[in-house]
Amino acid sequence: MLKKSEIPIFEKEFKRLSMDYERCTDASIKNIIKQDILLITKVLEIKRFL
């Protein structure tokens, strides 16, 4: 279970991945980063509803 204290870690990682996504030029790596961003987004959305 995700603890409330862990949410800032996910938000920080989301910001870092977003910056990496913008700088990346390799399409396959961009796709992997995008999947990670979507996963973190889902986790944060679910946690906000709980």
Side-chain angles (χ1 to χ4, degrees):
M1 179 98 186
L2 184 65
K3 297 176 187 171
K4 195 167 191 120
S5 63
E6 294 173 321
I7 292 175
I9 296 168
F10 278 91
E11 290 172 341
K12 185 177 179 181
E13 186 66 11
F14 177 83
K15 290 176 186 174
R16 188 188 67 76
L17 284 170
S18 296
M19 289 189 299
D20 289 348
Y21 183 82
E22 292 299 320
R23 287 183 280 184
C24 186
T25 56
D26 186 312
S28 61
I29 294 174
K30 251 185 149 167
N31 192 34
I32 292 169
I33 294 171
K34 184 178 180 180
Q35 290 174 3
D36 290 347
I37 289 171
L38 291 173
L39 179 61
I40 290 173
T41 302
K42 294 290 183 195
V43 168
L44 291 173
E45 285 176 1
I46 290 169
K47 186 59 183 171
R48 286 193 177 108
F49 285 114
L50 297 179

